[in-house]
Amino acid sequence: MPAPVNHDQRAVNTFQRLRDTITREEPVNGPISLYEAMARAIKYNLDARIEAMDEALKLKQLDLRRLDMLPDLVAQSGFAGRDNDAGARSRSLLSGKQSLEPSTSSERRSTNGEIRASWDVLDFGMAYVRSLQQSSEARIAAERRRKVMTRIVEDVRTAYWRAVSADRTFKRLSQVEGLALKALAQAEALESRRVASPLAVLAFQRDLLGVQAEVQKLQRELTLAKNQLAALMNLTPETSYQLVLPDRTDVVPELPGSANEMVLTALRFRPEMHEAGHRRQITELEDRASLLRSLPSVKAVLGLNHDSNQFLYNKDWLDFSARVSWSVMSVFRRPREKAVLLAELDVQDQRDLALTMAVMTQVHVARVRFVRLAQELTVVRQSNGVQARLTETSRGAFKARAISQQNLVREEMNAVLAEVRYDNAYADLQNAYANLYASMGLDNFDLKLDSSEPLSEMTDKLEEHWTDRALSLPPLPKAS
């Protein structure tokens, strides 16, 4: 019986290994920019490492599969012995008398050895086809890695901009929440003393509680965004780090092309489409393997032999042989195997159509989402500007004692909320921008990023690539 797994010790070891892995990473020495966050995710993210190691595994399996095409080479040696002589007595054909002394051609003790090489043409053909299939499996692993990396970069952009919003407004949100609590206590005192209209006081309390609930919800979401960003960069949840707070910009990225051009680009570059093509190659190669199995096999053998027996005339000799064999039943299996493979190709054709429809839908959804969020950002930006002017006017009116402190607190809270909504809308637009290119299968890996590169070099490459994204796009296919 195998020894039971010590789950307590395994938990401790796994936790320590994770700590050691994080310790070996480049430390955070300053505020993290968007492109450094991307570089850290590409270099250190554990999901990305899994896909990279799976791709490396498939390549090693390909190297191993190629060895099957080589001839078999077997070396062996042996020892033989007996307690008496092996021999025979001879009888004369003329006299009919038997010789008393036996004759022998073998020693009681002898050693032998041989080196034998054999090569089967059918086995070579099957090994060649299997190596081609394994090569397609390695390409599939590379496409899956591309897909995971694209998702990670997209998640980094979303979490980064939300975390930026948290850093920008967290302090103000806390201050405004404190003002709301203070104003709420004053409103409750007014209600208890009945020095103001009960309806007005209750309505004011309702507004304050509604704003306070929204502030707390935003604080929760924004705080989680920073933890999510840390996980994507493979930092521990308790790691304290700062972000580069970029200036807000009114520039909205443009669409790279028409809807049909974007769809054709997606069908050309999406990892899922590439993977489907490689799957079809594997199935077509299986048909070739089925054909090879139905053919005769030709096997050639070449051996180099040695025997220490001194009675042998030749102690060393070379032998060779050839053999042809044919499994007749494989001929009858061939039509059924062909029918199965054709049915599998039909299934793959339907899956390709379904995948094409899904890709088209994703591209159109990403396009519409980007356009709508760009329009919403314009409205939110205008609303934020109006609220900022309204808050400034309210401050002046409060100093002139034209409005109450409750009204000023309400406007201060609305101003912070408007700013947070603006940051969230900008973060959503950036996410939609990344999703737009991800839906077309356009990623950063034409940069030939290597995880062994220093983090600063990867950051510079990513910043240059995303800054000049429009210039680095491949030509979009023209829709007919």
Side-chain angles (χ1 to χ4, degrees), residues 5 17 83 88 207 242 247 256 295 367 403 410 446:
V5 177
R17 285 195 295 116
D83 63 346
D207 294 342
Q242 300 297 321
D247 297 331
L295 298 178
R367 180 185 175 89
I403 62 173
R410 182 190 293 116
D446 52 344

Side-chain angles (χ1 to χ4, degrees), residues 363-379:
V363 170
H364 281 277
V365 169
R367 180 185 175 89
V368 171
R369 179 170 176 261
F370 177 78
V371 172
R372 293 300 183 187
L373 286 174
Q375 296 173 350
E376 291 177 13
L377 179 63
T378 301
V379 176

Side-chain angles (χ1 to χ4, degrees), residues 27 172 227 269 471:
R172 290 193 62 189
N227 291 335
F269 290 105
L471 299 178

